[in-house]
Amino acid sequence: MRMKKVLVTGIVSKAGLAELEKKCEVTYSEIPFKRSWVLEHLSEYDGVILMGMTADKEFIEAGKNLAIISVNGVGFDHVDLTAAAEQGITVSNSPQSVRVATAELTFSLILAAAKRLHEYDSIVRSGSWVDVSEERYQGLTLDQKTLGVYGFGRIGQTVAKYADAFGMKIIYHDHVKLPEKVEKATNATYVEFDTMLSEADVITIHAPLLESTRGIFNEETFKKMKSSAYLVNAARGPIVSEAALVSALKHHEIAGAGLDVFENEPRVSEALRTLPTVIMAPHAGTGTVAGRQEIATEAAANIISFFEGKPVNVVSH
């Protein structure tokens, strides 16, 4: 019986592919394949670890013999699930491995935004100085403040645990209220969306990008938030209207933001880039050596389990 052929479309941790290479014929390059090459050769493969590329209808149709697409990450909004289902292709993601690294970066953004580190750093680097005795230069103490978590899955719950250790009150909103044992473990309370907006001193986003979440943080939303509140997004950029965020920051409707994702990344609007009250990262939530190895290992394990007849992390089939 021939070994299954698996294509890795982008740069992943080579160490994470070790087990997969024992069981499958793996095509991988540390110089990313061009999309044109992938489309030309995709019909030769049984499985794909998807990284750095969109699996749209064109991609799906080119994979005439594909049985599985394993996404090297948790988000799968760049996969045409309808086209994949029509062609009988299973789609899996990698939700376990992204949790800690993304939660750590999220809390770094919370701290950096609330403590105004970007502004302080820029001032000191310019050779200037400020007196933080003046209220206009002061940040936010997190102890006893309220963290609102929008999307209370694995990452959101982990961020909540970090916030609890800092003495914050945790409220969350999701499409459903979670079981009492989950709330007790995270010391979190379910609230309606508008309640979260009005009560939270910091809001952190951990929801998937769906039609129901796209642009949900918009002009109307920001007007419901505290003028002293901060917004952090390490989930998906289009959940936040960038133009509305810029306007809210310029008009002091909210105090600041920490962003790891953007509406039109990698392009970030000049208006957002020039605001001193925003700290930004280049979609680096999982950008640690351990984090990237764990993601590749999970994505590869999805492929192995699927061909062994025990599919895991399935989001569509």
Side-chain angles (χ1 to χ4, degrees):
M1 182 177 177
R2 75 171 180 86
M3 295 180 72
K4 300 294 185 181
K5 295 184 67 175
V6 177
L7 173 65
V8 184
T9 62
I11 300 173
V12 305
S13 168
K14 189 72 165 60
L17 302 176
E19 287 303 311
L20 184 64
E21 289 178 327
K22 294 176 184 178
K23 300 185 178 185
C24 296
E25 182 182 334
V26 179
T27 301
Y28 174 71
S29 172
E30 292 183 355
I31 300 174
F33 296 109
K34 292 183 177 179
R35 182 177 171 88
S36 59
W37 185 94
V38 171
L39 294 177
E40 181 181 352
H41 294 276
L42 196 56
S43 62
E44 303 167 17
Y45 292 90
D46 305 289
V48 161
I49 292 181
L50 187 68
M51 180 63 181
M53 200 166 292
T54 299
D56 53 15
K57 189 173 182 180
E58 181 186 36
F59 183 102
I60 300 294
E61 290 178 347
K64 294 180 175 61
N65 296 304
L66 279 183
I68 180 171
I69 296 173
S70 179
V71 179
N72 193 72
V74 64
F76 49 87
D77 49 279
H78 57 309
V79 180
D80 188 331
L81 299 181
T82 301
E86 288 174 351
Q87 200 158 302
I89 299 172
T90 293
V91 179
S92 293
N93 69 340
S94 307
Q96 306 290 343
S97 49
V98 303
R99 178 180 62 85
V100 171
T102 304
E104 287 180 347
L105 182 71
T106 298
F107 211 79
S108 298
L109 289 172
I110 291 172
L111 284 167
K115 302 304 177 184
R116 301 176 64 172
L117 292 185
H118 172 61
E119 295 174 79
Y120 293 165
D121 182 76
S122 297
I123 289 166
V124 176
R125 285 180 186 277
S126 72
S128 300
W129 200 258
V130 294
D131 184 356
V132 295
S133 297
E134 296 184 52
E135 187 173 342
R136 59 179 173 146
Y137 295 125
Q138 294 168 2
L140 180 73
T141 296
L142 296 182
D143 184 48
Q144 302 303 309
K145 295 299 190 297
T146 298
L147 177 70
V149 185
Y150 179 64
F152 210 56
R154 297 177 183 88
I155 298 171
Q157 290 171 31
T158 303
V159 172
K161 289 179 180 179
Y162 296 165
D164 185 49
F166 272 74
M168 298 188 78
K169 174 185 175 183
I170 317 298
I171 58 177
Y172 76 94
H173 180 77
D174 209 318
H175 65 288
V176 294
K177 185 179 185 296
L178 274 72
E180 186 177 347
K181 65 178 181 179
V182 174
E183 294 186 340
K184 283 186 175 180
T186 53
N187 203 19
T189 303
Y190 174 85
V191 295
E192 295 298 330
F193 184 62
D194 281 358
T195 301
M196 180 189 71
L197 294 176
S198 63
E199 292 187 0
D201 298 293
V202 179
I203 291 178
T204 180
I205 301 171
H206 300 289
L209 179 60
L210 306 169
E211 283 310 307
S212 59
T213 63
R214 184 181 295 273
I216 194 167
F217 285 86
N218 51 40
E219 185 177 350
E220 180 183 351
T221 306
F222 293 128
K223 291 184 186 303
K224 295 177 180 179
M225 291 174 61
K226 294 179 179 180
S227 61
S228 58
Y230 292 83
L231 180 76
V232 172
N233 188 10
R236 284 293 182 267
I239 294 174
V240 178
S241 166
E242 207 161 280
L245 176 60
V246 168
S247 178
L249 290 166
K250 283 184 174 180
H251 293 94
H252 307 291
E253 292 174 349
I254 64 172
L259 305 173
D260 185 42
V261 291
F262 303 88
E263 191 171 8
N264 299 296
E265 62 183 65
R267 184 171 59 85
V268 180
S269 71
E270 183 179 2
L272 191 60
R273 287 186 283 112
T274 56
L275 286 170
T277 51
V278 182
I279 185 164
M280 295 174 280
H283 204 146
T286 59
T288 67
V289 174
R292 287 304 173 99
Q293 182 173 335
E294 289 170 8
I295 295 170
T297 299
E298 186 173 13
N302 290 342
I303 300 275
I304 294 170
S305 297
F306 177 83
F307 287 128
E308 290 178 347
K310 298 172 288 186
V312 294
N313 295 329
V314 174
V315 296
S316 175
H317 59 82

